[in-house]
């Protein structure tokens, strides 16, 4: 079976549940998969009475043999079981001597005679990497991908005298991701879940509960073993079929074609969903259209006009190169090593010698794989180098691309010097000369480390609220794009570098990202002003400034996330240890609003990343541009592919899919209460994913007559008009004590008249445009307030100029039953209600008479009154003699229908972590 090349060194544990029924087992097979099945069966209490495996190769024993010999289990190494069609007598006698009750074949390349298969009391069970009866035969995983199956999986079946035709004992399946290779599919699902399934199957047999479900012939297929000679690429196919053929042969036996008279094998295929980048043409035998050697790889074309990209190429001599370097493959010069680099080379030589123990001396010409190394040795080599060479991070591909020792050392040295960095991110910008600078804005979806058009090519216009002009066309993510982004995040979490990265390194990347946000703060603030209408000076200080602070704060938390030890009450003489571990949840979805596009992104994604999760983020449809610029900076900071994904588009399509997606384990949302309710319902129905919601508000601000009036006026205005009133904690209703009410209103109106309304990029502007046209139109309900009996003291109209500007507005005489008193405006509308002098409890009752509970405030010089009021107000945040003073270290979130869960502070981390309790007895 070709999937044996995919083995990667891993350890998995099944739950240790000891059943009464145990069996004597003969394990027939090989490989790391066989070793893991053996270890888990022993751990579960079954007796492996004999291991039958292949002879040593190049002086190295198979992993299964090594584990069994270490355990003292009898090991038999037969080159074959039969000769001239008959079972070899000596082999049969050795097998029967162990007295097995069941044969377990987790992975076996040898032909086992039927008299051996039928010999034990319970017969034989076999693992097969397909959902039988589909893809019977030895290349099942390959054909799953070649045929473009949407589902993959494995079967454990009872052996019979047919080819993979015996009755089914159990089956498991998984989705095939668009760019899965044999390795990816095996490592993600077939290997770990296959081990668990084999253990489960043996226990079912032991308990007499193992089913025997006959295989249907409907849908049955058989495909032959894929060998190098029949893996040549046929070019008259669609791009998707070409992609499936190439990935179905990656890494063994490798799909190949002829280029310039030489056989070249392709690895690392992916469908190209964005525009074709520029490149140098490359003629390929049989292809109707030349390939293109680009910065990112070799672009190939199907007969449907669509394209795919291949990342790596391998030549006949075994040398592998990045496809982007095809025309420069022979130009790399040999670098001279410094004294420090010579020491590193000597350390690596010792590591090679330890792995290639059958080779007397490691020479410059020693080839890693031709000397007997397997793919599991690649993982060992990469890990040992990381441990013994100062944390040097290599990828498995580095080994495949430099298999000879001298070439490998050259690659290591170039990586140490920074000469072997990945090609620069390709970004198609929309550029604008504005604010005395050139602003460069990405506009495509950002998925798996690449900017790409939406799958169906759809776009939409993002509008500058200052004048109503179109800034640019932005990719409109489809359901396919959401699924691609989630798949990339899942792969990055489960299989990628991010999941293996230590916490301190994760923090280093976040600190670097914070630095880049700060270095680009003027450009980011300008984009924020263009896209959201934020006043530039406010955007610089708050929208961007607090985003930088947030990433720095949570970067510091990365290596300080801790569990605890717990003394449990157990009777002696048992000794017990119980402790908790804080673990990342997995793939998280984040949906953010349009009022603080970058800051809301930072509030949620920084905590999410610090906890070790990966994310798919949907910015608000009307303000996507700073999120996409953030994606570009994340690549520059060094975040691995797939960790951060940004999908612009609509809430009804992309947002809804995120809330329903089965692979997302946590969703963080900031937005309106009605949408929050819908999201919570979808999250519950889909897979009960964890949810945190920061929703609407109608925050009360209580101003008592013993306040410092100048400060109360100034901060009361900020509480309402800050960021054009588009502020989740804006004071939605001001309660002013009767004796100071009229003076307060007069002074507020005087100050409003001094405010400059205009272009947010003008440094003297106080009040910019509302975020978008639909929101402005929603705010223009002031006539309804007057009809209800409220007094419109100032404003209430759209400003007569281009763009979406609204006058700062003040209402008085607002009674508790009025629309103005109940509904969140989310705009520059001050709603003032009067309360009787000294009526503290009365005004508190009125302030709390709302289903919202996000924020609140009180102004008074009396500290006892202030503390009493703060205790009674039903809100997640209470400001005393100040307002809008949030800080990255202080948790932020609401009560009641303002949502639950916290952003910021240590508590925010818990929204993106899960707690595991571990108890052991010793």
């Amino acid at each position: 079976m070709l999937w044996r090349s995919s083995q990667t060194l891993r350890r998995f544990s099944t739950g240790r549940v000891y059943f009464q029924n145990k069996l004597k087992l003969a394990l027939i097979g090989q490989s790391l998969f066989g070793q893991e099945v053996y270890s888990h069966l022993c751990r579960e209490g079954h007796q492996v009475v004999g291991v039958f495996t292949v002879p040593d190769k190049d002086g190295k024993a198979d992993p299964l043999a090594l584990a069994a010999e270490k355990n003292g289990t009898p090991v038999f190494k037969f080159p074959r079981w039969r000769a001239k069609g008959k079972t070899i007598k000596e082999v049969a006698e050795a097998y029967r001597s162990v007295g097995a009750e069941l044969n377990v074949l987790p992975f076996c390349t040898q032909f086992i005679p039927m008299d051996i298969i039928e010999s034990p009391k319970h017969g034989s069970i076999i693992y097969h990497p397909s959902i039988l009866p589909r893809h019977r035969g030895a290349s099942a995983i390959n054909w799953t991908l070649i045929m473009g199956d949407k589902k993959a999986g494995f079967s454990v079946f009872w052996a019979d005298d047919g080819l993979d035709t015996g009755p089914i004992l159990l089956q498991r399946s998984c989705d095939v991701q668009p760019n899965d290779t044999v390795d990816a599919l095996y490592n993600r699902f077939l290997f770990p879940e296959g081990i668990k399934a084999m253990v489960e199957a043996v226990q079912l047999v032991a308990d007499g509960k193992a089913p025997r479900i006959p295989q249907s012939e409907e849908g049955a297929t058989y495909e032959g073993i894929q060998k190098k000679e029949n893996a040549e690429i046929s070019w008259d196919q669609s791009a998707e079929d070409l992609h499936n053929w190439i990935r179905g042969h990656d890494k063994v036996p490798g799909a190949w074609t002829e280029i310039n008279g030489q056989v070249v094998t392709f690895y690392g295929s992916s469908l190209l969903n964005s525009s074709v980048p520029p490149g140098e043409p490359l003629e390929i035998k049989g292809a109707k259209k030349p390939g293109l050697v680009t910065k990112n790889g070799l672009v190939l074309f199907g007969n449907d006009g669509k394209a795919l990209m291949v990342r790596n190429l391998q030549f006949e001599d075994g040398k592998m190169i990045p496809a982007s370097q095809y025309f420069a493959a022979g130009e790399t010069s040999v670098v001279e090593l410094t004294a420090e680099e010579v020491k590193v080379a000597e350390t690596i030589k010792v590591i090679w010698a330890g792995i290639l123990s059958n080779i007397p001396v490691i020479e410059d010409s020693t080839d890693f794989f031709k000397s007997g190394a397997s793919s599991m040795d690649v993982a060992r080599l990469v890990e040992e180098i990381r441990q013994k060479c100062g944390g040097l991070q290599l990828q498995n591909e580095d080994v495949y691309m430099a298999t000879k020792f001298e070439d490998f050392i050259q690659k290591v040295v170039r990586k140490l010097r920074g000469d072997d960095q990945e090609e620069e991110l390709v970004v198609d910008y929309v550029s604008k000369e504005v604010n005395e600078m050139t602003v460069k804005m990405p506009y495509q979806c950002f998925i798996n480390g690449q900017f790409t058009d939406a799958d169906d090519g759809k776009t939409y216009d993002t509008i500058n609220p200052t004048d109503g002009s179109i800034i640019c066309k932005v990719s409109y993510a489809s359901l396919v794009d959401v699924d691609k982004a989630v798949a990339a995040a899942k792969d990055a979490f489960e299989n990628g570098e991010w999941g293996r990265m230590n916490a301190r390194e994760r923090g280093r990347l976040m600190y670097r990202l914070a630095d880049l946000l700060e270095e680009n703060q003027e450009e980011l603030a300008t984009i924020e002003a263009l896209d959201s209408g934020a006043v530039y000076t406010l955007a610089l200080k708050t929208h961007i400034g607090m985003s930088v602070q947030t990433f720095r704060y949570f970067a510091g938390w990365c290596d300080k996330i801790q569990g605890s030890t717990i003394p449990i009450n157990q009777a002696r003489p048992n000794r017990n240890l119980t402790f908790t571990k804080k673990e990342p949840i997995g793939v998280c979805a984040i949906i953010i609003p349009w009022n603080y596009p970058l800051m809301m992104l930072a509030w949620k994604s920084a905590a999410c990343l610090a906890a070790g999760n990966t994310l798919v983020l949907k910015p608000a449809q009307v303000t996507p541009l700073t999120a996409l610029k953030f994606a570009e900076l994340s690549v520059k900071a060094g975040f691995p592919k797939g960790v951060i994904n940004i999908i612009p588009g609509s809430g009804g399509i992309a947002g809804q899919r995120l809330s329903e997606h089965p692979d997302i384990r946590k969703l963080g949302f900031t937005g309106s209460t009605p949408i929050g309710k819908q999201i919570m319902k979808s999250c519950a129905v889909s897979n009960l994913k964890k949810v945190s919601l920061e929703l609407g508000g109608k925050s009360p601000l209580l101003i008592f007559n013993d306040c410092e009036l100048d400060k109360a006026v100034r901060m009361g205005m900020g509480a309402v008009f800050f960021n054009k009133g588009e502020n989740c904690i804006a004071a939605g209703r001001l309660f002013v004590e009767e004796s100071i009410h009229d003076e307060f209103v007069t002074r507020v109106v005087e100050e409003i008249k001094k405010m400059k309304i205009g272009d947010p990029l003008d440094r003297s502007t106080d009040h910019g445009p509302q975020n978008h046209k639909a929101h402005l139109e929603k705010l223009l309900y002031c006539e309804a307030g007057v009809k209800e009996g409220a007094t419109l003291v100032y404003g209430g109209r759209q400003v007569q100029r281009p763009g979406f500007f609204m006058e700062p507005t003040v209402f008085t005489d607002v009674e508790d039953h009025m629309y103005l008193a109940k509904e969140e405006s989310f705009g520059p509308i001050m709603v003032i209600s009067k309360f009787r002098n000294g009526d503290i409890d009365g005004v508190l009752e009125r302030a709390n008479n709302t289903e919202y509970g996000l924020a609140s405030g009180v102004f008074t010089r009396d500290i006892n009154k202030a503390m009493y009021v703060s205790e009674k107000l039903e809100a997640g945040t209470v400001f005393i003699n100040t307002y809008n003073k949030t800080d990255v270290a202080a948790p932020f979130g609401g009560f009641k229908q303002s949502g639950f869960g916290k952003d910021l502070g240590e508590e925010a981390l818990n929204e993106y972590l899960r707690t595991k309790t571990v108890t052991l007895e010793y």
Side-chain angles (χ1 to χ4, degrees):
M1 292 182 182
L2 296 178
W3 54 275
R4 64 181 179 276
S5 68
S6 307
Q7 297 155 8
T8 302
L9 187 59
R10 293 181 171 206
R11 292 284 182 255
F12 295 84
S13 62
T14 56
R16 297 187 67 187
V17 181
Y18 288 96
F19 296 87
Q20 182 178 359
N21 304 310
K22 298 299 170 187
L23 293 175
K24 294 179 179 179
L25 308 175
L27 215 67
I28 305 174
Q30 62 204 75
S31 80
L32 183 63
F33 185 79
Q35 179 200 67
E36 288 290 336
V37 171
Y38 165 81
S39 298
H40 282 80
L41 288 171
C42 292
R43 198 177 302 161
E44 292 298 325
H46 296 285
Q47 183 183 359
V48 180
V49 292
V51 165
F52 298 84
T53 187
V54 294
D56 297 352
K57 182 180 179 182
D58 297 322
K60 295 181 69 174
D62 183 82
L64 174 57
L66 287 173
E69 288 168 349
K70 185 178 179 180
N71 244 12
T73 302
V75 176
F76 304 87
K77 301 177 182 179
F78 300 130
R80 58 186 182 278
W81 288 70
R82 65 178 188 170
K84 297 181 180 180
K86 294 185 178 181
T87 306
I88 300 171
K89 183 180 178 182
E90 295 80 3
V91 174
E93 289 175 351
Y95 165 78
R96 291 192 172 92
S97 69
V98 301
E101 297 172 316
L102 174 70
N103 290 335
V104 179
L105 285 72
F107 170 67
C108 183
T109 59
Q110 297 176 312
F111 184 91
I112 310 301
M114 280 307 298
D115 55 333
I116 301 296
I117 291 291
E118 296 173 345
S119 177
K121 171 185 175 182
H122 297 291
S124 302
I125 60 172
I126 305 178
Y127 173 92
H128 183 77
S130 82
I131 309 171
L132 291 172
R134 187 159 175 80
H135 304 309
R136 293 170 176 169
S139 295
I141 309 178
N142 303 71
W143 285 104
T144 297
L145 297 176
I146 292 168
M147 300 302 289
D149 291 0
K150 301 304 180 186
K151 290 282 185 182
F154 58 79
S155 307
V156 179
F157 70 99
W158 298 93
D160 66 1
D161 58 357
L163 183 62
D164 304 330
T165 57
I168 301 297
L169 196 160
L170 62 80
Q171 292 182 319
R172 300 283 186 270
S173 66
C174 69
D175 292 332
V176 177
Q177 305 300 340
N179 293 321
D180 270 341
T181 62
V182 173
D183 276 9
L185 199 54
Y186 180 73
N187 292 332
R188 186 180 78 244
F189 185 79
L190 300 176
F191 181 90
E193 296 304 318
I195 293 164
K196 296 175 187 176
M198 287 301 286
V199 175
E200 180 183 346
V202 170
Q203 193 59 58
L204 286 171
V205 176
D207 295 338
K209 297 178 180 179
R212 292 176 179 263
I213 304 169
Q215 288 193 40
S216 167
E217 286 305 308
E218 184 179 351
T221 61
Y222 171 79
E223 298 92 1
I225 295 175
Q226 280 305 94
K227 298 180 179 179
K228 193 73 175 182
E229 55 264 30
N230 56 20
E232 182 178 5
I233 299 168
S234 172
W235 290 102
D236 191 18
Q237 302 182 76
S238 69
E240 185 173 358
D241 288 341
L242 288 172
H243 167 61
N244 288 337
W245 184 264
I246 294 169
R247 69 181 179 136
H249 292 83
D250 186 346
K251 295 270 188 312
V252 175
W256 60 274
T257 192
E258 191 175 312
I259 302 175
N260 293 328
Q262 184 175 189
V263 170
V264 179
T265 305
F266 292 169
Y267 298 106
S269 171
S270 59
L271 288 169
L272 190 64
N273 296 312
S274 58
S275 56
V276 177
E280 190 171 349
L282 178 64
E283 293 293 335
I284 300 172
K285 183 180 179 182
K288 294 181 180 179
K289 187 175 180 179
L292 280 178
V293 177
T294 73
K295 286 184 176 181
N296 294 332
L298 174 61
V299 176
L300 305 169
F301 298 93
N303 61 12
D304 56 355
K306 296 183 179 180
L308 61 148
M309 184 175 287
V310 170
R311 194 168 63 248
N312 299 315
L313 306 175
Q314 187 175 40
F315 299 103
E316 292 176 352
D317 62 0
K319 183 179 181 181
M320 187 182 286
I321 65 165
S324 60
Q325 297 178 12
Y326 178 84
F327 290 113
E331 298 176 8
T332 306
S333 58
V334 176
V335 298
E336 294 293 328
L337 275 59
T338 66
E340 194 62 33
E341 289 164 350
V342 169
K343 291 180 181 177
V344 173
E346 289 300 322
T347 301
I348 292 175
K349 182 175 281 191
V350 172
I351 296 171
W352 274 52
I355 296 172
L356 305 175
S357 56
N358 54 311
I359 304 298
V361 179
I362 303 297
E363 299 175 342
D364 286 349
S365 60
T366 301
D367 186 286
F368 192 68
F369 294 106
K370 290 180 181 178
S371 300
S374 66
S375 56
M376 70 177 180
D377 294 316
V378 174
R380 175 181 167 184
L381 175 61
V382 169
E383 283 301 303
E384 284 201 44
I385 288 175
R386 183 183 64 79
Q387 291 175 349
K388 297 176 182 178
C389 297
L392 175 61
Q393 296 282 352
L394 296 176
Q395 304 299 321
N396 289 2
E397 279 184 2
D398 294 325
V399 185
Y400 288 107
M401 289 185 177
T403 60
K404 291 182 181 178
F405 183 75
E406 59 181 343
D407 295 337
F408 186 74
I409 292 300
Q410 290 285 308
K411 177 168 278 292
V412 166
V413 169
R414 287 191 173 89
K415 189 171 286 285
L416 285 169
R417 296 179 183 182
D419 298 335
D420 199 28
Q421 298 298 317
E422 286 190 10
E423 293 291 338
E424 188 176 345
L425 175 71
V426 176
V427 188
D428 287 338
Y429 295 108
V430 169
S431 298
K432 288 189 179 294
E433 297 296 328
V434 62
N435 202 20
E436 299 181 354
M437 68 179 76
T438 302
V439 176
K440 299 170 73 175
M441 297 171 285
Y443 59 89
Q444 298 167 293
C445 300
F446 181 75
I447 299 173
N448 202 26
Q450 293 182 328
F451 284 104
T452 178
D453 292 337
D455 180 73
D456 55 12
K458 287 186 179 179
T459 62
Y460 69 95
D461 296 333
T462 186
I463 304 298
N464 183 344
T466 301
D467 57 12
S469 64
I470 297 172
I471 303 171
C472 64
K473 290 187 178 297
V474 177
S475 292
Y476 188 84
S478 67
L479 296 178
V480 173
D481 298 306
V482 177
D483 289 348
K484 286 179 182 177
V486 174
K490 188 169 187 279
D491 187 58
F493 181 78
E494 295 179 351
N495 306 311
E497 179 187 352
W498 183 254
R500 300 188 299 269
M501 189 178 292
N502 64 61
R504 202 156 294 168
E505 176 66 13
R506 191 163 68 243
R508 188 190 68 79
L509 292 181
M510 292 185 65
Y511 276 122
R512 175 61 181 144
L513 181 53
D515 291 344
L516 286 168
L517 291 171
E518 189 169 53
E519 289 169 20
N520 293 272
Q521 60 183 337
E522 289 86 2
E523 183 178 18
L524 287 164
T526 302
I527 297 172
E528 203 87 318
L530 290 175
D531 207 23
S532 76
V535 172
Y536 175 76
T537 50
L538 176 65
L540 201 61
K541 178 180 183 296
T542 302
H543 291 229
I544 315 305
M546 196 171 188
S547 300
V548 174
Q549 293 175 29
T550 303
F551 268 93
R552 287 200 175 125
Y553 174 81
F554 282 107
W557 268 110
C558 288
D559 60 355
K560 300 172 187 67
I561 297 171
Q562 300 176 359
S564 58
T565 56
I566 302 170
I568 62 172
N569 188 16
Q570 293 288 342
R572 294 188 179 187
N574 294 338
R575 292 184 294 173
N576 297 282
L577 172 64
T578 296
F579 61 92
T580 60
K581 297 171 64 180
K582 297 284 188 179
E583 298 179 341
I585 294 172
V587 181
C588 299
I590 293 173
I591 302 175
I592 57 173
W594 42 257
N595 57 328
Y596 295 101
L598 187 65
M599 193 175 82
M600 291 295 98
L601 176 154
W603 279 24
K604 284 180 164 54
S605 63
C608 173
L609 293 168
N613 302 287
T614 57
L615 65 90
V616 179
L617 182 141
K618 195 199 85 65
Q621 183 172 346
V622 292
T623 54
L625 296 180
T626 43
L628 295 170
K629 191 69 179 179
F630 168 84
E632 178 192 351
L633 297 179
S634 74
V635 175
K636 292 182 178 179
F639 278 78
K641 291 181 179 180
V643 174
I644 295 170
N645 303 272
I646 310 290
I647 48 168
S650 76
I653 295 175
Q656 184 64 26
R657 176 58 178 157
L658 289 173
S659 65
E660 294 172 345
H661 204 292
D663 289 334
I664 289 173
R665 294 297 171 186
K666 160 69 200 279
L667 190 146
F669 171 76
T670 295
S672 71
T673 296
I675 298 300
K677 290 178 178 180
Q678 177 61 41
I679 283 175
M680 189 173 177
K681 180 180 179 181
S682 298
C683 289
V685 171
S686 59
N687 63 344
L688 211 63
K689 58 176 64 68
K690 188 176 181 180
V691 185
S692 57
L693 304 171
E694 195 252 281
L695 306 177
K698 190 68 173 176
S699 300
L701 175 57
L702 281 56
I703 301 174
F704 290 92
N705 60 13
D706 60 353
C707 70
E708 185 182 334
L709 191 57
D710 286 343
K711 187 176 183 180
V713 169
R714 186 175 69 256
M715 290 198 164
M717 290 183 63
V720 176
F721 301 126
F722 187 81
N723 199 48
K724 310 162 294 175
E726 295 169 352
N727 188 21
C728 54
I729 58 171
R733 192 175 181 196
L734 277 64
F735 294 90
V736 183
E737 201 160 4
E738 189 174 31
S739 59
I740 62 168
H741 175 273
D742 292 349
E743 183 179 359
F744 180 86
V745 172
T746 299
R747 291 172 68 166
V748 163
V749 172
E750 288 174 354
E751 292 302 317
I752 289 176
K753 291 176 180 178
K754 299 175 186 177
M755 292 171 63
K756 179 178 178 179
I757 301 172
D759 184 351
L761 291 173
D762 184 336
R763 303 315 193 257
S764 63
T765 293
D766 298 303
H767 190 79
Q770 303 310 132
N771 188 277
H772 52 282
K773 185 178 181 181
H775 182 56
L776 172 65
E777 292 172 347
K778 175 188 169 187
L779 292 174
L780 296 174
Y781 55 71
C782 298
E783 289 184 7
V786 173
K787 286 180 180 178
E788 282 191 303
T791 302
L792 177 60
V793 177
Y794 189 89
R797 296 167 300 185
Q798 182 175 357
V799 179
Q800 296 305 305
R801 58 172 291 163
F804 313 136
F805 292 84
M806 181 177 180
E807 294 176 334
T809 299
V810 179
F811 277 99
T812 60
D813 302 319
V814 178
E815 300 296 332
D816 294 354
H817 66 274
M818 294 180 181
Y819 179 86
L820 288 170
K822 293 177 178 293
E823 295 301 316
E824 178 182 29
S825 69
F826 214 66
I829 301 174
M830 181 178 282
V831 176
I832 302 176
S833 297
K834 190 186 301 182
F835 69 94
R836 294 194 310 272
N837 292 333
D839 188 12
I840 299 174
D841 290 326
V843 74
L844 278 170
E845 183 178 352
R846 295 173 68 190
N848 287 329
N849 186 24
T850 172
E851 274 301 303
Y852 294 116
L854 189 58
S856 59
V858 54
F859 279 84
T860 176
R861 285 191 177 96
D862 185 337
I863 187 62
N864 291 321
K865 184 191 297 182
M867 295 308 294
Y868 176 77
V869 169
S870 70
E871 181 182 321
K872 295 297 183 181
L873 283 169
E874 297 171 358
T877 297
V878 181
F879 297 107
I880 300 177
N881 294 327
T882 187
Y883 209 89
N884 282 325
K885 190 168 285 186
T886 54
D887 186 87
V888 295
F892 179 93
F895 297 167
K896 300 188 285 189
Q897 291 196 44
S898 287
F900 53 85
K902 297 294 183 182
D903 290 324
L904 305 180
E906 182 181 359
E907 285 196 37
L909 285 169
N910 293 325
E911 303 296 333
Y912 296 93
L913 292 165
R914 60 187 183 186
T915 301
K916 178 180 287 183
T917 301
V918 181
T919 299
L920 64 90
E921 184 175 301
Y922 59 97

